[in-house]
Structure formats: structure tokens, C-alpha cells
Amino acid sequence: MRAGSRVLAAGLALIAFASSGVSMVAAQESEGGITDAQAATLQRVATCLRTTDHLLVSFVIDESTSLTETDPENKRVDAALLALDNFTDLATTEIAGRTPTIEAHVAGFAHAFTPYAGWGDLADANAQDEIRSALEDFADREEGLATDIPTALNEARQVIADRAAELSGGEPCKVLLLFTDGRYELPFFEDSDENNLVYAPDVDPSTDGAQREAERLGREFVCSPNGVAEQLRDDGVVTLTAALATTIAPRDEQFLEALSTGRAGTVRCPGDANPRFGAYLPAEDVDELVPVFNGIVEAVGGGTIGGPESVEGVCVGEPCDAGRHEFELSPALAGFGALLEVREAGISVLVEGPDGTDETADIEPDVDGDTELAGSDLEWEWIDEDTVRLTGELPADARDEWAGDWALTFLADREPATATPPRATLTYFTGLLPQIVGEPELVRGEISTVVIDIVDVSGEVVDPADLGADVTLDATITDPATGASEPAQVTGSGGSYEVQVESVGTGSTVALEASVNTTLQNGRVLAPQSDVFDLPVRAAALFPLLSPARLQLESVRGTGETTAELTITGGADAGGCVWFETPVDVRSAPVSAISAQFVPSSTSNRCLDVEAGKSRTVVVRFKNSESGEGVVRGTITATLLSRETREEESFEIPFSFDLAPPINEAERFGLFLAILLPGVLAPIAFLALSNRRLARFRSTTGVQVARVPVLVERTLTQILRVFADGGATGETALRLRGNEVDPIVLRPDDFTPMGKQKGTHVDAADLTFVARAPSNPFGEVGATVEAHDGLVAARVVGDSRSDESHLPLALPGTWAVALPSDGTPVTGNGLDATLPGGDERQWIRVDLVAFVADGSLGSQLTALRGDLGARLSDVANVLADRVEGIDRTGSGRFRDWA
Amino acid sequence: MTTVEPSADTITPAVHPPRELLLLACGSVAIGAALLLLNTTAANVVGYVLSSFVTIGLLAAYQRVDVGRRNRANYTPQPWLGRFGPFIALAGVLVAAIHVWRIATELAG
């Protein structure tokens, strides 16, 4: 089933699912149908979902080896996928402005419990795909050596409790959907070397009767008081067990039913049956699996199941009466579904619109599709080769077109091989829902009138009579603290009703359940659509007001505490006093070490005063000193005293919070390191390797080098270039620019190509450049320079950080000063020329080496000249100091120029 | 004797270090940090990958491209830029560590 009409059908399903009454009409027990008790169970989930808008569904599926024989065609996978589709539709359909959050989880079990897909929000396409894939994989998961149901239930309970504890914003609804094809058994237990059973740790597998004893303890583990089944119920988990019951002995089937419902025959688990606990839905043969799951999801969706109806046969070649099934769509409906079992591959279904229309739709074999027909939106999806699910959205504005008698005709090109005739299971969805008007609040001891309207799926108020439907409204008031219920008086008709509500019990809220009962013109009674409204109850005006009326606290992981605030507001005309009873009433909890503390504390003798119209807060702190997993529920009893009348009123405020198991710190830290270290070390190792690979000179083709002698005055005022004229007078030419410091001028013809060199070492102008990878992986790769003879210092144009140990791998822009070993400072010129300042000034003769790249030579020389003018003197003098043993750094040591 | 002054030649646009890769690395860390707000398993996994592998990978790419560009005549070094690398990597590791802590907490819970 895909979007479109299926969405509406699902949406309607949600409405009906969420608002179904306590008793379901489609109660006849039949193939593919469900019983009253089963329907009541599903409606419990529906009501919960309507209230919380959040559902957790855990698929727990048998993967024992027996499935290869009992379900060779993997019908269980088809059925599970059908359920997933429906839950997905619910999670993606907005009804009256609300879209529930539905999360699913998939696990398998045999001799162990194995999660295959973590909790995923079905509204998220990726999560949905992951869950679908996990379910599809069960077609190949049938190699388990046991059917350890107790372990599966226990682990699933923990998974659900853990997820619930992670959530904030209220307790979600929880469903455990368990599928198995066999009885609980541990056939290879006595062959195993070790015992991993949590419920039978002391049973030695090697002893006689070990298997029987372990199985006995397993049943006890599930069905004893405070056993797994009871813990599931305390946690609010509804257990739906779908079983392929062909090979299960009655006693074993009773165990499956009892763990779901509480009791089956003589098997108590641990007490009496209650539809609120769960439902057992057996499939009599493998072909019934899909109808059973269909029954579950349709009932969960709140549909009214028409029951399967077989036709006489299949029409060959052209439509005939024998293969025709008629059904009526009433104007009061908003959608329908049809599970069509054609019984054999290759059979198509012809859908005919109502009388007076000639429109038809062809459902071709194994081809999914959708179409519009008579104002309705139809969509169909083949679940397997002989089963197709058809859904129809029935828009309110096209009632005149689609309302009437429809027909389905099963067609084949040739005579079918099977003698079993096709059958159709119709489900009808109504859109007539109860909706409370305003936000009524009850006053204890007074009768309040609550208005309930009948609305359609879009929230519009409608008069059912206009739709040819006969509608009644039932209302029930329930004290959430005790579960005690009583009917409420309802008056009105048409689309609006008034309910007279009086608070019951001592709770701070009452639950008003309103059910819409619809009977169509053709006499079909639809499943009641009900909704539960939580109405706050307060004391009369002369009493203080306490809020909120219900406490849902943050969960506690391991041991610890969780807190909430209660606000006390004085009455409008009179102050009052409030005190809280301790210890609080913990009604169910997975551990016994739960305590509560109120700050400030109070007693009847030392109550908390509050003035008229003023407010104050009280913090309630729940402490859990013992680790557990599950839901803690209970009530806080507060007594209000009116200063005006001196009367007292007690209120029970329900509270709940989840307990989650403590974090395994060692495991967490181990995981932290195991995940983080690869994430950090791998990239860093990659970076280091990358640096090593980068630490090589690329080809120096295109790089030019110049080496020219220069004189640097030691007082750092002048730099002179010595030109070799090559003439008779030798090296005598000086370059001066008046009496000013003259930046070195490098001429283009000073440069010669380096030729092609590459690798880790490059030689040029009696210097060797060595590529270096940094020891710090985040450092820059670079190079150092060494002189073949003497000392060398190097710099890079525009890079003040650069020196002979920190050079880039690319030589252009680099310049160096080489001071040969015999290149000591000279006094006077030592040359055949007159130097500025006379002979008394000291000069250093060094060689300047510079590198440029081909192209843009002018701009490179300009940049070099500027940089040399600024730094050459300093660099040359430092080299000279080094030779002369002068330490200008003050450190007493020289830098290592090498 | 005369010297030859540098002649004017064709001006080509300056080549800079690949700043965009550093920006991407910064962005990767920033997205990783933003994903901390979501606190879902998927967000933590994505945040972890972005803050560690992707960020450091981008830094490595920066190094490689920068070295390549330095051979060009019109390369204009920006030494201060390279100093950001370790800080970006450190920030990435810190963000990744928070994501990983959450993942480990979920797995160990």
C-alpha cells in the first residue's frame, strides 16, 4: 500500500483506531477476523495512541529452523511488511491537525534475541527503509536452534523500556508484536556446552532432564507473579502474539495465549485474562498469516471488518456472476479496504463503480497501481502473487459519485488450477468522530456540562442524519486512579451532544470517554469511534488550586532522582493550606526502592500556606536507589484546606516515570575510545602519510637561480653589489645610488635555469635544499637548506616566519645568503675600489642566491628587491656574528644555521 | 657599468593558498557542532564523520593544493592562514568526541 488512497485509509484507520470504543462491533470470530476480546485489546492501543500521539512497536519475529518447513513461502514476511505499511501510513497521515509519531524496532529470536533494526521513526524514509529491509531479511533467517520465547519477551521488554526511558514529553503507547511458528522449546539445550539462560542459570545442561527443567523455569519466568508478562503489563506494553498454530500442541498454544492475555484455559499468567494485556491471534495455516495480520492492522486502524466472503469461482475470459462480489459504500463512510485473495497467480480483479457509472478499474496480476474511480481514489498493492490489498479514499465532496453498490469480479484467462474460490475481506472506515468543545474543567462536587460534537475527518461538524447514518453517543467517566467507571448522561442529537459530568473519586483528573456508534442505512453497524479526554478536576473556589493534574517526570537511568514542580494557587476569594502525604503511593514499579520527598515538606500540622490569588511551588523529588527497568506509577495525595470554610479536600495526583538500566561505564568508555580513536588517528595517520608523500620537490623545470656576490656593511646601513665585469680589472665594480642605501638590484640576466631536478634533495648554486615532512601532522611540509661550504641563511619573500629550516617546497621567492668558510668580514673593501665611508668601515662579503619562476620576472624581482632591502643586512650580519662568535641573541648560544 | 632595472611585464592575478578548503573544513566542524543540537543517532554519526574524517581530510587537501600552488610564479603566501589548521583540527576532534560519547552512551545503555 502506498500514498494516496492508502494514506486516507490509514488516516481513517488512525481515527478509528484512536477513537474506537471499548467494544468492537466486528466481533464475529471468523477466518481472518478478530474476536471481541482481540478487538478490545487493539482499541486499548488505539485509545492510547489518540491520547499520547506516540507509539512504540517492537516486531519480534521467530527465526527458528522449523520455519523452513512451516512457512517455506515466507508468508510471515509478507504479513509483517503489510503491518509495517499500515503503521507507516498512520505515522505519515495528519488527522484533524495531528500526526502521531510511530517508532518501530525489529528483532529476531530463536536460541537468542537479536536486534536487527534499532528504533526508527516511520515518518522518516531512511528509518522506514531500514526496518523494511530488516523485515525482508527474515525470509533468510530460519536457522535458529530453539524457540526461546521467555528470553525474547524479556529482552524485548528491556528494549521497549529503554526506548521509553529515552523519550521525553509523556509516556508513549507500546506494542510488542510477537510472531512464532512453534512452541516454546529448547531442543538443543542438553547438547550445549554452556548455559546462557537468564531464567535457569543453575541448571546444568549435562544433567538428565535439564531441558525440561529449563523450560519449566522459562514458563515460570514469564508467568509467575512479577514475571516478564506482568512486567510488560506494568510497563503498559500490549503484547500481540501472532502464531502459526498448525504445529503447536494445545498446551503450548495456551502458554502463548496466556502470556498475551493473562490466562488461557488452565494456564494463568499470572492471573485472569484481561483484554488490556494483549491478544493472541492464531493462524490456522500458513495462508491465513496475511489475513491474520490484516485483521490486526485493520482492527488497529479501527475499521469495521465485513468478514471474508468467498465468490463461487473465477470468471474465465469475461465477467460473470459466479466471480462477482458486491458491496455497498454508504455516504457516511470515508474509506474502505479490501484484502483480495485471488488464490492463484495470474488472476485479475475488475473493480466496478456504483450503479449508474460505467467506470471500472483493472487490478492486473502482480501490478501495483492507483486510479480515480467514481470520485474515489483507489490504490492497490500486491502482497504476494495471490493476494492484493485494495484501499479506497472516499472524499466527502464526491459522495454523490461514489456512494452506492460496487462490485469486484475475479477474472482469469484460463480455468484456474485451484478449486479454492477467491475471497474478499472488506473493511469499512467511518469518519464520524467525537470532538470535545473547548477545554472544560471539572469542579469537585459539581456537575459540569461538556459539549461533544460529531466531526468528520477534516474536523468539520456534521449531522450524521444528513449522511443517512443513525448515530448515538455514549459517554463514560473513569477515575484514572482506581479505574472505576460509570456512565454519564448524554443529551442531544444530530451533530452536537451535551454530557453531564461529575468528578468521581479523589483524583485530580477524570477520563471522559465519548463513543460514537454509527449504524448505516443498510443496517451495517460500524465500530464505535471513541476518544478519551483527560479532564482536570479542581476543588471549589474557596480551596487552593493545585496544578498540574498529572505528573510525567523525566526518566531515571540507573539510580538517581527525578523532580517535578507542583504549583499551589490560592483560591480567588480565600487563602488556604496544602500538605502532601508521605510516603507516596507507588502502585507499580520494577524496583521497590522508590521514595519521594517534597520541598518544602509539609504535614497536616505544618501545612503550606497560600494567600488568596497568590501562588507558590513545591518540588517533588523521586529517588530511586536501586537500578531497574520499567515504568514507575503511583499517586501523590495532596490535601487542600480552605481557610474560609476550614473544610478539607484530598486529591490524588497520578505520576509516572521510566527507569532505565544504568550505563555500563566500562563499556561506554571502551566504545568511546574504540569509535573515537579511529576517527582521530586514521585521519591523522592519513595526514602524516600525505605529508610524507608531499615532502618532495616537484620538477624544478621553470625555476631560475642567481648567485651574485654582495657586500654588506656591518652597521646595517649599506648593501653593495659587486659586479664582475669580466674585464681586465677583475671584480671591481660597485653599485651605489648616491650616498643612500641601495637595495640590491638583481638583473634578469643574473638568473639561469636550474634544469630538471626533483625528489627529496635539490642542488642549486652550491646549496642543497632538503624536503622535510613535519613531525607535527598538522604542520606544513617544507624544506631546509645546507651550504656545500660555509654557512647559509635563507628567507622567503613575504614570509617573516621563514628561515633556513622552514622553507617551502617551492623554490621561487626564496633567497639565501651564503657565507663561505673563508668569507670572514673584511675591513675596508679589500677591493680595488673606494667604498663609502673609507677603509675604517667593516664589510661582509657574502653570496646572495635567489630563485624565481619563469614568467612575471619583473614583478618577482621587484618583490625580491623589497624583501632583500628590508632583511638582507640583518641576515648577513647574523651570519658574520656566527663566524666571529658574537652572540647578539643574548642567549649565549647561536642558532643552528645548518 | 649599468644595471638593468626590472622591466614591467604582464601582470597575472596572484595565486593564494586554497582558502576555500580551510573554509570548508571550518564549515564541516560547524555543521558537526550544529548536529549536536539534534542529538539523534543519525545526527551523531554524521557529526562524528564530518568533524573528524571530513575535516581532517579537507586539511590534508589544503596542504596538498597549497604546496602545488607555491611553485607558481604569482603565488602570494599567506603564512598566517596555515596556522588555523591545527585549531580547526582540534575543534573537529572535540566536536567528534562529544558525538562519539553520545553514541557510546547509547550503545552502552
Side-chain angles (χ1 to χ4, degrees):
Chain A
M1 192 163 67
R2 289 191 295 266
S5 60
R6 196 175 61 173
V7 168
L8 177 64
L12 297 170
L14 171 61
I15 298 168
F17 173 46
S19 54
S20 298
V22 170
S23 62
M24 191 152 182
V25 172
Q28 70 269 30
E29 192 172 1
S30 56
E31 253 188 337
I34 56 175
T35 65
D36 283 343
Q38 293 164 346
T41 301
L42 300 171
Q43 286 158 14
R44 168 175 156 75
V45 183
T47 302
C48 177
L49 180 59
R50 181 65 173 170
T51 304
T52 67
D53 285 330
H54 202 145
L55 173 65
L56 303 181
V57 182
S58 179
F59 289 88
V60 180
I61 300 177
D62 192 346
E63 50 183 341
S64 60
T65 190
S66 57
L67 288 160
T68 55
E69 296 177 3
T70 57
D71 185 20
E73 294 179 10
N74 300 315
K75 295 279 188 182
R76 66 192 181 284
V77 176
D78 296 332
L81 291 173
L82 176 67
L84 174 66
D85 281 340
N86 281 271
F87 282 125
T88 300
D89 290 337
L90 292 178
T92 52
T93 304
E94 180 179 310
I95 300 296
R98 295 164 62 181
T99 306
T101 299
I102 299 182
E103 296 180 70
H105 165 274
V106 179
F109 76 98
H111 51 282
F113 177 89
T114 311
Y116 290 115
W119 289 106
D121 187 340
L122 295 184
D124 178 82
N126 291 332
Q128 190 192 123
D129 289 345
E130 186 182 349
I131 291 165
R132 173 174 296 279
S133 175
L135 290 175
E136 287 171 343
D137 288 346
F138 274 93
D140 300 320
R141 291 191 181 120
E142 42 199 18
E143 296 176 353
L145 301 178
T147 309
D148 190 354
I149 291 170
T151 294
L153 291 175
N154 187 46
E155 297 272 353
R157 187 189 80 82
Q158 291 176 27
V159 167
I160 295 171
D162 214 22
R163 180 57 189 153
E166 291 172 358
L167 300 172
S168 56
E171 184 183 349
C173 317
K174 304 153 193 169
V175 168
L176 168 57
L177 190 51
L178 178 76
F179 169 78
T180 180
D181 75 326
R183 68 188 188 96
Y184 160 50
E185 59 179 352
L186 306 166
F188 296 97
F189 181 65
E190 293 177 5
D191 299 333
S192 54
D193 295 330
E194 56 183 22
N195 175 6
N196 294 321
L197 300 175
V198 295
Y199 50 81
D202 300 327
V203 176
D204 182 352
S206 64
T207 58
D208 288 341
Q211 178 188 337
R212 199 167 53 251
E213 175 62 6
E215 290 174 0
R216 184 189 69 76
L217 290 172
R219 291 173 196 275
E220 202 173 285
F221 181 63
V222 173
C223 288
S224 64
N226 204 32
V228 175
E230 196 163 87
Q231 289 174 31
L232 280 164
R233 293 156 198 165
D234 286 345
D235 289 353
V237 178
V238 175
T239 304
L240 304 178
T241 303
L244 184 52
T246 48
T247 59
I248 308 177
R251 177 174 172 275
D252 296 312
E253 197 171 1
Q254 282 183 343
F255 173 63
L256 291 176
E257 183 173 353
L259 70 86
S260 312
T261 64
R263 181 178 180 178
T266 58
V267 179
R268 291 169 176 266
C269 194
D272 289 328
N274 189 326
R276 291 189 303 113
F277 299 159
Y280 174 67
L281 301 116
E284 297 306 324
D285 64 57
V286 72
D287 288 333
E288 291 303 321
L289 274 181
V290 169
V292 163
F293 271 74
N294 183 63
I296 291 174
V297 293
E298 296 287 40
V300 160
T304 303
I305 300 174
E309 291 186 28
S310 298
V311 294
E312 293 177 19
V314 175
C315 303
V316 179
E318 58 184 25
C320 63
D321 288 342
R324 183 182 172 89
H325 174 71
E326 294 185 350
F327 62 101
E328 182 185 355
L329 295 181
S330 159
L333 296 176
F336 73 96
L339 185 73
L340 308 174
E341 297 166 89
V342 300
R343 304 298 191 189
E344 188 175 303
I347 294 177
S348 62
V349 182
L350 180 69
V351 185
E352 296 175 61
D355 299 339
T357 65
D358 296 328
E359 297 176 75
T360 60
D362 271 323
I363 301 178
E364 296 177 9
D366 213 23
V367 178
D368 300 342
D370 59 80
T371 189
E372 287 187 16
L373 181 59
S376 69
D377 294 319
L378 303 184
E379 193 167 330
W380 57 90
E381 183 179 27
W382 288 86
I383 297 165
D384 54 34
E385 64 179 14
D386 56 9
T387 307
V388 60
R389 188 162 188 274
L390 168 69
T391 56
E393 176 186 348
L394 306 175
D397 56 5
R399 283 191 184 103
D400 293 342
E401 297 176 58
W402 54 255
D405 293 325
W406 289 53
L408 301 164
T409 304
F410 297 88
L411 284 163
D413 294 332
R414 54 180 171 74
E415 200 65 39
T418 178
T420 309
R423 69 177 181 181
T425 304
L426 270 294
T427 307
Y428 303 96
F429 297 97
T430 175
L432 302 180
L433 311 167
Q435 179 172 283
I436 198 164
V437 177
E439 296 179 355
E441 184 181 65
L442 307 185
V443 177
R444 180 170 293 173
E446 297 178 9
I447 295 177
S448 305
T449 299
V450 175
V451 178
I452 304 285
D453 284 343
I454 306 296
V455 299
D456 63 17
V457 291
S458 64
E460 292 291 318
V461 177
V462 294
D463 185 347
D466 295 342
L467 305 177
D470 182 19
V471 164
T472 60
L473 184 82
D474 292 337
T476 306
I477 303 167
T478 303
D479 178 2
T482 64
S485 297
E486 59 184 59
Q489 184 183 349
V490 180
T491 57
S493 61
S496 188
Y497 295 85
E498 290 186 350
V499 183
Q500 306 301 312
V501 182
E502 184 176 7
S503 65
V504 291
T506 57
S508 56
T509 65
V510 296
L512 170 63
E513 182 172 320
S515 300
V516 175
N517 307 298
T518 304
T519 305
L520 303 180
Q521 271 181 330
N522 60 5
R524 182 179 298 281
V525 179
L526 300 182
Q529 309 296 298
S530 59
D531 207 342
V532 177
F533 308 105
D534 212 17
L535 305 179
V537 179
R538 64 172 177 82
L542 294 177
F543 287 90
L545 187 65
L546 203 56
S547 65
R550 179 187 294 275
L551 292 178
Q552 171 66 46
L553 296 98
E554 293 291 323
S555 57
V556 178
R557 183 171 283 282
T559 58
E561 61 180 41
T562 182
T563 61
E565 279 191 358
L566 287 163
T567 301
I568 308 165
T569 305
D573 302 322
C577 204
V578 178
W579 66 92
F580 298 93
E581 284 184 16
T582 53
V584 297
D585 181 15
V586 178
R587 299 193 172 166
S588 68
V591 295
S592 57
I594 304 290
S595 62
Q597 180 187 8
F598 294 89
V599 180
S601 60
S602 57
T603 64
S604 57
N605 296 326
R606 195 164 50 85
C607 60
L608 303 174
D609 273 314
V610 58
E611 295 178 24
K614 298 288 179 62
S615 295
R616 65 182 299 176
T617 58
V618 174
V619 175
V620 54
R621 180 175 293 128
F622 290 91
K623 287 186 177 175
N624 167 40
S625 54
E626 181 185 347
S627 293
E629 194 165 32
V631 184
V632 177
R633 301 178 207 277
T635 54
I636 293 170
T637 301
T639 303
L640 314 181
L641 170 69
S642 169
R643 292 290 186 204
E644 181 80 14
T645 64
R646 308 304 300 174
E647 288 180 306
E648 295 178 4
E649 285 275 14
S650 288
F651 280 81
E652 290 182 343
I653 304 165
F655 70 84
S656 65
F657 59 93
D658 291 288
L659 294 184
I663 297 281
N664 182 331
E665 291 296 341
E667 184 183 359
R668 173 162 67 172
F669 192 65
L671 284 167
F672 175 72
L673 291 179
I675 300 170
L676 181 63
L677 289 183
V680 174
L681 294 183
I684 287 177
F686 169 73
L687 204 53
L689 283 174
S690 172
N691 285 342
R692 284 179 64 86
R693 288 179 58 83
L694 279 175
R696 301 172 66 83
F697 289 97
R698 299 185 181 184
S699 172
T700 57
T701 303
V703 179
Q704 297 185 39
V705 59
R707 178 162 182 148
V708 297
V710 295
L711 285 169
V712 179
E713 205 268 320
R714 297 239 38 193
T715 56
L716 311 180
T717 56
Q718 287 188 316
I719 305 163
L720 305 177
R721 169 162 175 185
V722 179
F723 287 99
D725 61 6
T729 56
E731 46 177 24
T732 56
L734 302 177
R735 172 65 181 174
L736 297 175
R737 179 177 292 170
N739 291 323
E740 297 174 357
V741 173
D742 182 14
I744 296 299
V745 177
L746 287 166
R747 303 187 309 193
D749 57 4
D750 292 329
F751 289 88
T752 56
M754 281 184 65
K756 185 176 182 181
Q757 294 185 59
K758 60 181 179 179
T760 56
H761 291 67
V762 165
D763 289 314
D766 292 330
L767 301 177
T768 298
F769 290 84
V770 182
R772 307 269 189 205
S775 53
N776 167 14
F778 297 103
E780 296 177 23
V781 293
T784 60
V785 62
E786 299 163 359
H788 293 179
D789 175 42
L791 302 176
V792 64
R795 300 290 186 270
V796 177
V797 173
D799 185 354
S800 59
R801 288 191 309 154
S802 61
D803 60 33
E804 44 286 340
S805 300
H806 300 89
L807 298 172
L809 281 175
L811 294 177
T814 301
W815 57 268
V817 175
L819 180 61
S821 55
D822 59 351
T824 54
V826 295
T827 301
N829 56 13
L831 306 171
D832 297 333
T834 301
L835 293 170
D839 293 346
E840 70 280 4
R841 296 175 66 174
Q842 277 199 325
W843 297 82
I844 315 162
R845 178 168 176 166
V846 294
D847 284 343
L848 168 66
V849 181
F851 297 86
V852 295
D854 285 347
S856 303
L857 197 57
S859 59
Q860 292 181 76
L861 291 180
T862 300
L864 265 172
R865 190 176 64 177
D867 207 53
L868 291 169
R871 298 200 285 174
L872 176 58
S873 291
D874 182 55
V875 172
N877 273 284
V878 169
L879 278 185
D881 290 347
R882 171 91 167 107
V883 171
E884 294 178 334
I886 301 171
D887 177 13
R888 295 183 195 274
T889 66
S891 65
R893 44 193 295 271
F894 292 97
R895 295 176 63 183
D896 181 6
W897 296 108
Chain B
M1 181 167 289
T2 58
T3 57
V4 178
E5 293 293 337
S7 60
D9 48 16
T10 307
I11 297 174
T12 54
V15 174
H16 299 282
R19 289 171 293 195
E20 60 280 4
L21 288 174
L22 274 190
L23 282 175
L24 281 175
C26 284
S28 180
V29 176
I31 293 171
L35 288 171
L36 290 172
L37 300 175
L38 296 182
N39 198 16
T40 62
T41 303
N44 284 328
V45 171
V46 173
Y48 165 55
V49 171
L50 277 178
S51 307
S52 57
F53 293 94
V54 175
T55 299
I56 297 177
L58 286 167
L59 292 176
Y62 169 83
Q63 298 259 44
R64 176 172 285 270
V65 175
D66 187 43
V67 167
R69 289 185 181 180
R70 281 173 186 269
N71 265 333
R72 289 154 71 169
N74 48 350
Y75 177 79
T76 305
Q78 293 177 315
W80 52 271
L81 211 53
R83 295 178 203 170
F84 285 110
F87 293 104
I88 295 171
L90 181 64
V93 169
L94 289 176
V95 172
I98 299 173
H99 282 297
V100 171
W101 184 254
R102 290 178 176 178
I103 294 169
T105 299
E106 186 171 334
L107 294 176

